[in-house]
Amino acid sequence: MSNDPLLQPYQLKHLTLRNRIIVTSHEPAYPEDGMPKERYRAYTVERARGGVAMTMTAGSAAVSKDSPPVFNNLLAYKDEIVPWVREMTDAVHEQGAAIMIQLTHLGRRTRWDKGDWLPVVAPSHQREASHRAFPKKLEDWDIARIIKDFADAAERMKAGGMDGVELEAYGHLIDQFTSPLTNELDGPYGGSLDNRMRFCLDVFRAMRERVGDDFILGVRYTADECLPGGTGQADGIEISKRLRDSGLIDYLNVIRGHIDTDPGLTDVIPIQGMANSPHLDFAGEIRAATNFPTFHAAKIPDVATARHAIAAGKVDMVGMTRAHMTDPHIVRKIIEKREEDIRPCVGANYCLDRIYQGGMAFCIHNAATGREQTMPHTIPKADIRKKVVIVGAGPAGLEAARVAAERGHAVVVFEAANNPGGQIRLTAQSERRREMISIIDWRMGQCEKLGVTFHFNTWANADTIAAENPDVVIIATGGLPHTEVLSKGNELVVSSWDIISGDVKPGTNVLIFDDAGDHAGLQAAEFIAKTGAKVEIMTPDRSFAPEVMAMNLVPYMRSLQKLDVTFTVTYRLEAAEKSGNQIIAHVGSDYGGVAKQRTVDQIVVNHGTIPLDDLYFELKRGSKNLGEVSYDELLSGAPQTVDRNPEGSYQLFRIGDAVAARNTHAAIYDALRLAKDI
Ligand SMILES: Cc1cc2nc3c(=O)[nH]c(=O)nc-3n(C[C@H](O)[C@H](O)[C@H](O)COP(=O)(O)O)c2cc1C
Ligand code: SF4
């Protein structure tokens, strides 16, 4: 038996967990009609198959009708959920993993204009900044009703075959009771700590009575809100001891921080550029103070840190949640001593930011996550070995190369630059986005193992390609910045890439016109503002940087606000003209009736890219399919069979930004879904 601390079993009451790694509760927003149907099941089972000890499903399934879903949560208050849960738990257990579910009442952390339009409830009228609803202050009958709802939901989950239930307390109703900041009730549920904890313990008591002793109950709670006047560290230790001493609960899952604002949430679940495992020592302090089973997750993305967490006795079970979205087979690879093959989580937080925009959680560089029914995590071998030539070694080209090589094909990649990475290499110029380079490094490592041939510093043309005698050619040449957006003076502007790459020196008084709204605009702003320059970001949109999304915006704002960058929304840069050594920017508005001017010494335009597609069009006439893609075949997972040109000698495809400006995930998805069927 291995002596790896991570691979030691753990006895949680009657439940034997096969190792020390868990996936903590998270809602990927895959439910259909509030139920965990096929997509949800496939996603969950893949992690069990990959070897994790326990997967905690559902981010906070709702127990009550007045806790309507804010990110497509499961509806644990409906009886019809039981058979769906049963199918999922049976399938997970078959893989040897345990499975629990998180239940919650969101309290004020939701909106009244969802679900049944019932009033949002909380122990005070104060609204939560993130969700904006002004709550109704709970009455006695609400409290009794919700306690019963928790017990009913726990009973449903037990009937569905779950090994246990975890309560999502932090930021949700239970900790809204516990925190002095959000509880304005009088006794018996408000006032003293005893009173503020009463709701939590009443809920556990009601659930325990219903589910009996042979069922795990745990709580995920904040043991330090990190807010003036809130639950502090000393209170957190006291709360932890009281939870333990209640005898109702089997483990503690420790959170540090508060989630009522985007910055608060981002400190609880840190993203790229923020420190790894920032709350691990704190979780260790709770474990030491309580001597009670302690779980914890917060940016422990790599096996070495997870191993340290267990070996140093900081926690009993270590959560690697986003890491498992990136690679569901972490434990299998540890067991097989292939840790270098683990696809690394780069903290891009595309997964989590998407759900707060109403989308499903997708991983920025694993397009199979959440698409297990159609996209493979392990690529099957092809029957016939082909010669595949790929032009471009950005994320799309490298993913195509990796997948084609996994299929067993002979793969050759041409890249004009002297190293791989394309736009990702540029992105990683920013200190805080440096982790992005692992998207490239991991693929290069895999490609080298699989024998892919790379030619860097090579501008491939039709002759270069013909000399390879390919069966398939994939153009992944990306795009070039598109700055021609003005009616006059386009020659006076530079692109955000010019700034980020260092090709153009920042000005001293700069207008950034950003209607792409992605990272590049803010990255350029930060580069420029850090030189001491005056910077204004202008967008015609209602809000700036919409593609960056909520949690990714936090580190930018922390930096840009300090640097005194100004943000102007709903105005459009229309034209520019030279005036001595200055530039006059003519500004209008899509709403009409506005004509303003700015005098600056540099204008930066961030307007996405235009495809670099000359080679594709050059190669079209020599191809069998004349570049055509059958979308029916692509979407049904069948090989491409378009044959429109009897003279053609190869199939030709184009992926990523060489087709149209999109993002890293789209580029990688393009590559995976095409190359897996070649
Ligand atoms: C898409 C997504 C949804 C999440 N939803 C929940 C949730 O509903 N309840 C919860 O307690 N944590 C939720 N989390 C937080 C995770 O459980 C975990 O604490 C967090 O991702 C930090 O751990 P990690 O760095 O290992 O990913 C969510 C995380 C993700 C990525
Ligand atoms: S999107 Fe980023 S943070 Fe989320 S799982 Fe993927 S790599 Fe990790």
Side-chain angles (χ1 to χ4, degrees), residues 322-323 325-326 344-351 362-365:
R322 284 171 295 177
M325 299 192 83
T326 324
C345 173
V346 298
N349 220 46
Y350 188 62
C351 49
F362 291 127
C363 172
I364 195 167
H365 79 124

Coordinates of all heavy atoms in Angstrom, one line a residue, residues 322-323 325-326 344-351 362-365, ligand 2:
R322 N -12.0 23.1 -8.1 CA -11.8 23.5 -9.4 C -10.7 22.7 -10.1 O -10.8 22.4 -11.3 CB -11.4 25.0 -9.5 CG -12.6 25.9 -9.2 CD -12.2 27.4 -9.0 NE -11.4 27.5 -7.8 CZ -10.8 28.7 -7.4 NH1 -11.0 29.8 -8.1 NH2 -10.2 28.7 -6.3
A323 N -9.7 22.2 -9.3 CA -8.7 21.3 -9.9 C -9.3 20.1 -10.6 O -8.9 19.6 -11.6 CB -7.7 20.9 -8.8
M325 N -12.3 20.2 -11.8 CA -13.1 20.6 -13.1 C -12.1 20.6 -14.2 O -12.4 20.3 -15.4 CB -13.7 22.0 -12.9 CG -14.7 22.1 -11.8 SD -15.6 23.6 -11.8 CE -16.9 23.2 -13.0
T326 N -10.8 20.9 -13.9 CA -9.8 20.9 -15.0 C -9.4 19.5 -15.3 O -9.2 19.2 -16.5 CB -8.6 21.7 -14.5 OG1 -9.0 22.8 -13.7 CG2 -7.8 22.2 -15.7
P344 N -3.4 21.2 -15.2 CA -3.4 22.1 -14.1 C -4.6 23.1 -14.1 O -4.8 23.7 -15.2 CB -2.1 22.8 -14.2 CG -1.7 22.8 -15.6 CD -2.3 21.6 -16.2
C345 N -5.2 23.3 -13.0 CA -6.1 24.4 -12.8 C -5.3 25.7 -12.8 O -4.4 25.8 -12.0 CB -6.9 24.3 -11.6 SG -8.0 25.7 -11.2
V346 N -5.6 26.7 -13.7 CA -4.9 27.9 -13.8 C -5.6 29.1 -13.1 O -5.2 30.2 -13.2 CB -4.5 28.3 -15.2 CG1 -3.6 27.2 -15.8 CG2 -5.8 28.5 -16.0
G347 N -6.6 28.7 -12.3 CA -7.3 29.8 -11.5 C -8.0 30.8 -12.4 O -8.3 31.9 -11.9
A348 N -8.3 30.5 -13.6 CA -8.9 31.5 -14.5 C -10.3 31.9 -14.1 O -10.8 32.9 -14.4 CB -8.9 31.0 -15.9
N349 N -10.9 31.0 -13.3 CA -12.2 31.2 -12.8 C -13.3 31.5 -13.8 O -14.4 32.0 -13.5 CB -12.2 32.4 -11.8 CG -13.0 32.0 -10.6 OD1 -13.0 30.9 -10.0 ND2 -13.9 33.0 -10.2
Y350 N -13.1 31.0 -15.0 CA -14.1 31.1 -16.1 C -15.3 30.3 -15.6 O -16.4 30.7 -15.8 CB -13.5 30.5 -17.3 CG -14.3 30.6 -18.6 CD1 -14.7 31.9 -19.1 CD2 -14.8 29.5 -19.3 CE1 -15.4 32.0 -20.2 CE2 -15.5 29.6 -20.4 CZ -15.8 30.9 -20.9 OH -16.6 31.0 -22.0
C351 N -15.0 29.1 -14.9 CA -16.0 28.3 -14.4 C -17.0 29.0 -13.5 O -18.2 29.0 -13.7 CB -15.4 27.1 -13.6 SG -14.2 27.7 -12.4
F362 N -18.0 26.1 -17.2 CA -17.1 25.4 -18.1 C -15.7 25.8 -17.7 O -15.4 26.9 -17.2 CB -17.4 25.8 -19.6 CG -18.6 25.3 -20.1 CD1 -19.6 26.1 -20.7 CD2 -19.0 23.9 -20.0 CE1 -20.8 25.6 -21.2 CE2 -20.2 23.4 -20.5 CZ -21.1 24.3 -21.1
C363 N -14.8 24.9 -17.9 CA -13.4 25.1 -17.6 C -12.7 25.8 -18.8 O -12.8 25.3 -19.9 CB -12.7 23.8 -17.2 SG -10.9 24.1 -17.0
I364 N -11.9 26.8 -18.5 CA -11.3 27.5 -19.6 C -10.5 26.6 -20.5 O -10.4 26.8 -21.7 CB -10.4 28.7 -19.1 CG1 -10.1 29.7 -20.2 CG2 -9.1 28.2 -18.4 CD1 -9.5 31.0 -19.7
H365 N -9.8 25.6 -20.0 CA -9.0 24.8 -20.9 C -9.3 23.3 -20.8 O -8.4 22.5 -21.3 CB -7.5 25.1 -20.8 CG -6.8 24.6 -19.6 ND1 -5.6 23.8 -19.8 CD2 -6.9 24.7 -18.3 CE1 -5.1 23.5 -18.7 NE2 -5.9 24.0 -17.7
Ligands
SF4_2 S1 -11.8 27.7 -15.5 FE1 -9.9 28.2 -14.5 S2 -10.3 28.1 -12.3 FE2 -12.0 27.1 -13.3 S3 -11.5 25.0 -13.3 FE3 -10.8 25.8 -15.3 S4 -8.6 26.3 -14.9 FE4 -9.6 26.1 -12.9

